[in-house]
Amino acid sequence: MPALGGGMNAGDPRPLRIGLSARLMHRPPAELNFPGKTLQYLEQSIAHWVMAHGALAFMVPTIETGGGVQRRSISVKSYVQELDALILQGGADMAPESYGMAPLRDEWRGDRIRDRYEIELFWEFVIQGKPVLGICRGCQLINVALGGTLVQDIATLRPEAARHVEPELYDAHWHEVVILPATRLADIYPGRAHGRVISIHHQAIDRLGNDLLVEAQSADGIIEAIRWKGAGYVAGFQWHPEFHRQGDLLDSTAIMLDFLAAARQARQDLQKAG
């Protein structure tokens, strides 16, 4: 029998079904020929990161129009019931209104529609006892969903901090993070006190959300990884593990396998309870 990937097990051979929140493009460029339409999409690397470990990736579309969720025959609950876990992917800034603030600049207004969609997704997965993993914006969204706030622009509000984004380098820009001891992250990277990560963000966690622990930070004090202290699996990473393909970067396999193991365990627990 072939070896099972991270998304499969002998007791239930079906691959795990991982939902990925959609990126939204409200005003597509004219050359795409979708005038007046909103596009929803995945970045390829994050879907391939899931599939490379034997799980299936499914984009979860929004079910809203005009900025408000409209209940139809299909609900967010219906989607979550069919999936085993959720990844909140990166993308546009969060809207400061989502954490009780006003944008300091017009270009930092963010995407309130996407915030509402992803916060609802987050809570439905938590309520149903299914794991959530947040990447970059997704890490920030977890923090906000749990009552935290964000730094709207690191360079402006934390001028002493290092550069966390270099537009001309994009996914070739990296920095070191420190893995804090006595954390789950330290457990899945035994013997590693630090590592290089791909950094593409100008915003960051400010006030930590309720019942969250910091698991990694950069040398300048920017929070780089968080985990929920609650009963379920909720973890967020400010860096982009899906872009880690070079040998000198922190291996992303450990993060994905830990997440999929939690999803598999949650599936088994729900099957027993049902």
Side-chain angles (χ1 to χ4, degrees), residues 29-202:
E31 59 268 25
L32 294 183
N33 199 27
F34 287 99
K37 304 299 181 183
T38 294
L39 302 187
Q40 303 184 25
Y41 64 100
L42 296 179
E43 197 284 319
Q44 177 175 274
S45 298
I46 200 160
H48 284 187
W49 183 39
V50 171
M51 294 187 290
H53 294 87
L56 301 177
F58 295 87
M59 189 187 79
V60 183
T62 66
I63 54 171
E64 55 77 33
T65 57
V69 175
Q70 304 295 316
R71 298 305 174 197
R72 298 287 191 265
S73 57
I74 297 296
S75 66
V76 170
K77 181 178 180 179
S78 301
Y79 262 103
V80 176
Q81 286 173 338
E82 299 301 320
L83 298 168
D84 296 306
L86 172 69
I87 296 178
L88 297 162
Q89 62 172 324
D93 291 348
M94 290 199 69
E97 288 87 352
S98 295
Y99 45 93
M101 299 178 70
L104 299 178
R105 293 186 186 173
D106 186 65
E107 61 265 34
W108 302 337
R109 293 194 319 176
D111 189 341
R112 178 68 170 138
I113 293 174
R114 181 175 171 186
D115 295 351
R116 292 163 70 169
Y117 147 70
E118 288 189 313
I119 288 172
E120 184 177 23
L121 265 184
F122 168 79
W123 280 115
E124 189 59 44
F125 272 89
V126 170
I127 289 167
Q128 293 194 29
K130 299 180 178 183
V132 178
L133 176 65
I135 303 299
C136 196
R137 171 195 162 92
C139 177
Q140 297 170 7
L141 185 126
I142 289 170
N143 187 63
V144 169
L146 290 170
T149 62
L150 303 180
V151 176
Q152 291 188 36
D153 184 66
I154 296 171
T156 302
L157 300 174
R158 300 282 179 86
E160 74 283 1
R163 294 279 293 177
H164 285 259
V165 60
E166 291 289 354
E168 65 276 11
L169 295 176
Y170 190 59
D171 61 356
H173 178 62
W174 61 266
H175 63 66
E176 294 269 352
V177 296
V178 176
I179 298 172
L180 301 186
T183 61
R184 178 61 187 164
L185 191 61
D187 290 342
I188 68 174
Y189 287 106
R192 293 291 300 268
H194 56 84
R196 292 181 177 183
V197 299
I198 296 297
S199 178
I200 314 170
H201 64 104
H202 80 101

